[in-house]
Amino acid sequence: QLGSANIRYNVKKFNFSVGTGLGTSVYHMTDILKNTQREVSFNNFVPAVSLNYTPKHQRRITFNYNGNTRNPTLQQIQPLIDNIDPLNITVGNPNLKQSFTHSFNFRASDYKVLKSKSISLNINYSTTENAITKASTIDTLGRRINQAINVNGNYNLYVSGSYGFDLVPSLNVGINAGPRKNRIVNVINGKENITDNTSLNLGFYSGYWSKN
């Protein structure tokens, strides 16, 4: 169950909104062999903030923030051992917490109609608290024991800038470029394993139009 509320405010060149959603997820588990029942509940919180500023008709600056919870699955939290594959055993984690992701977006753009020139900047960043990931342990018998756990430090960053102009009348060309970086954290044999990925995106585009 989830309910939400939002307030929006407009004044001249500004547009601002803030809101949130609140709800509860409840899991019911029944152990038939032990004749026991267990109930697990999670409170979901989904905040959102948006700001738009338009100083000129073709110039705009926007900022958005969104928060989102992710609940563990029943398979991840049930305190039961899955031994279908003797060499790959999955163990439940009844103490698993829900994760919460913060997402930020900033965008600025300007377009000159008469000169057919455009410029924009886009920045996206997200980070997750108590991210749900997998911990793997290899014992002396060669068995891999997997368990879902919570970690911190995961993030994703993407920046993109673009510039376009008329090369000749009716032929517009442009370039966009920007770095991307993310971090993934998991645990192997009790040791934290951090993977950092970095890349650079570069693109070109063109467009042609005529009166007909």
Side-chain angles (χ1 to χ4, degrees):
Q1 305 294 331
L2 180 67
S4 61
N6 182 278
I7 297 175
R8 183 176 298 275
Y9 180 72
N10 294 286
V11 54
K12 294 183 179 180
K13 301 176 181 180
F14 287 93
N15 182 308
F16 177 77
S17 69
V18 60
T20 186
L22 297 173
T24 302
S25 297
V26 181
Y27 295 156
H28 301 276
M29 295 178 291
T30 301
D31 189 330
I32 300 176
L33 293 179
K34 297 180 180 180
N35 194 27
T36 59
Q37 292 186 350
R38 184 166 180 258
E39 184 177 282
V40 180
S41 63
F42 295 99
N43 294 319
N44 300 307
F45 178 52
V46 189
V49 176
S50 176
L51 173 64
N52 295 280
Y53 174 54
T54 309
K56 293 184 178 180
H57 184 61
Q58 299 293 340
R59 183 176 297 172
R60 177 173 295 181
I61 299 173
T62 64
F63 171 79
N64 294 285
Y65 165 77
N66 290 281
N68 188 40
T69 53
R70 178 192 169 195
N71 298 323
T73 65
L74 277 174
Q75 185 177 1
Q76 292 171 332
I77 64 177
Q78 62 182 0
L80 303 173
I81 296 178
D82 180 3
N83 58 356
I84 296 176
D85 184 353
L87 296 180
N88 289 280
I89 301 175
T90 300
V91 181
N93 184 358
N95 298 317
L96 200 61
K97 302 176 183 178
Q98 64 181 176
S99 64
F100 190 90
T101 300
H102 303 271
S103 299
F104 303 87
N105 172 258
F106 173 82
R107 179 175 176 81
S109 62
D110 184 33
Y111 179 61
K112 292 179 172 58
V113 179
L114 298 179
K115 297 181 179 180
S116 293
K117 288 185 178 180
S118 64
I119 185 172
S120 68
L121 174 66
N122 190 31
I123 303 174
N124 288 283
Y125 176 76
S126 65
T127 181
T128 304
E129 299 178 21
N130 292 320
I132 300 174
T133 188
K134 182 174 68 174
S136 298
T137 303
I138 301 176
D139 62 16
T140 57
L141 300 178
R143 297 177 301 180
R144 180 183 295 272
I145 301 174
N146 303 307
Q147 186 181 46
I149 62 170
N150 294 111
V151 298
N152 289 308
N154 287 0
Y155 71 85
N156 185 69
L157 172 66
Y158 174 68
V159 180
S160 177
S162 67
Y163 177 69
F165 60 95
D166 270 358
L167 187 63
V168 295
S170 300
L171 178 61
N172 189 268
V173 297
I175 181 175
N176 59 69
R180 182 190 296 270
K181 185 174 183 180
N182 67 358
R183 170 171 291 180
I184 301 173
V185 181
N186 54 31
V187 176
I188 300 177
N189 284 344
K191 295 183 178 181
E192 189 176 67
N193 181 58
I194 299 176
T195 302
D196 288 324
N197 300 297
T198 304
S199 63
L200 178 64
N201 301 296
L202 180 64
F204 299 92
Y205 59 90
S206 65
Y208 174 80
W209 63 92
S210 66
K211 293 182 179 180
N212 296 326

